[in-house]
Amino acid sequence: GQQVMQIPQYQHVQEGEDFTTYCNSSTTLSNIQWYKQRPGGHPVFLIQLVKSGEVKKQKRLTFQFGEAKKNSSLHITATQTTDVGTYFCAGPRGGADGLTFGKGTHLIIQP
Amino acid sequence: NAGVMQNPRHLVRRRGQEARLRCSPMKGHSHVYWYRQLPEEGLKFMVYLQKENIIDESGMPKERFSAEFPKEGPSILRIQQVVRGDSAAYFCASSPTTGTYGYTFGSGTRLTVV
């Protein structure tokens, strides 16, 4: 079945350093979504990428969708303590409604 | 707009009891999705419902779990005879139509089975 994998599982950074998480799908995706979940919170939708090679920016966050539409990345420039949380990528379930989520990357920031 | 409302926020059940989790979708949304999140894991699809219909329950265990979305009232995820392995966070999301959109999730129900 379809698998969505994320690396790394955990990332410790000093405040002000950059952070990148990578997402890989076993199948080609029509689109990919990114969510952020704060500790004890619920997933919050960040963005959806649709086009091959697409790059989108939200302030310090840069999202990319690979040319083959099987991988994606999220890069955060100059992390802040408010960036703490788990970042999930998700793709459509093959041939069905709903999403398949990766296991997420936990971002831990040391002041 | 009140968003997706889930209750209770926390639920503690003894092994063998029943758990009922409720989800009220956003106003105007007739599609509901339930996901389960185990500690340190991503979200796993359980079931997709429209008003009065179960569209896809392929992610739901065959036994003890059931879901409904009646014409009136919230969607209910019901777990009978809970076991320790059912301890997890259960999230629902709603959408106005089919297809893949950015989901708005509720705050979730954290189920603890003791």
Side-chain angles (χ1 to χ4, degrees), chain A residues 40-94:
Chain A
H42 60 278
V44 174
F45 174 72
L46 295 176
I47 207 161
Q48 177 174 281
L49 304 171
V50 179
K51 299 177 184 176
S52 169
E54 188 170 14
V55 177
K56 285 189 175 180
K57 293 192 175 187
Q58 291 179 349
K59 297 182 180 178
R60 296 176 295 103
L61 277 62
T62 302
F63 303 84
Q64 291 188 314
F65 200 9
E67 294 290 341
K69 302 183 78 173
K70 293 182 74 173
N71 59 354
S72 181
S73 65
L74 158 59
H75 180 81
I76 302 178
T77 304
T79 54
Q80 300 174 359
T81 54
T82 53
D83 296 325
V84 164
T86 304
Y87 293 84
F88 294 97
C89 62
R93 293 172 61 229

Side-chain angles (χ1 to χ4, degrees), chain A residues 9-10 30-31 33 35 37 40-45 48 88 92-93 96-104 106, chain B residues 9 33 35 37 40-45 48 55-56 58-59 91 98-103 105-108 110:
Chain A
Q9 187 175 0
Y10 293 90
S30 59
N31 68 80
Q33 299 180 20
Y35 292 80
Q37 184 177 25
H42 60 278
V44 174
F45 174 72
Q48 177 174 281
F88 294 97
R93 293 172 61 229
D97 275 287
L99 297 172
T100 299
F101 281 80
K103 289 191 174 182
H106 301 260
Chain B
R9 188 74 185 271
Y33 304 82
Y35 287 81
Q37 185 178 35
E40 303 299 314
E41 295 280 323
L43 285 82
K44 297 278 193 252
F45 169 83
Y48 163 43
I55 307 302
D56 183 348
S58 59
F91 293 98
T98 57
T100 305
Y101 300 91
Y103 289 154
F105 281 92
S107 297
R110 274 80 178 168

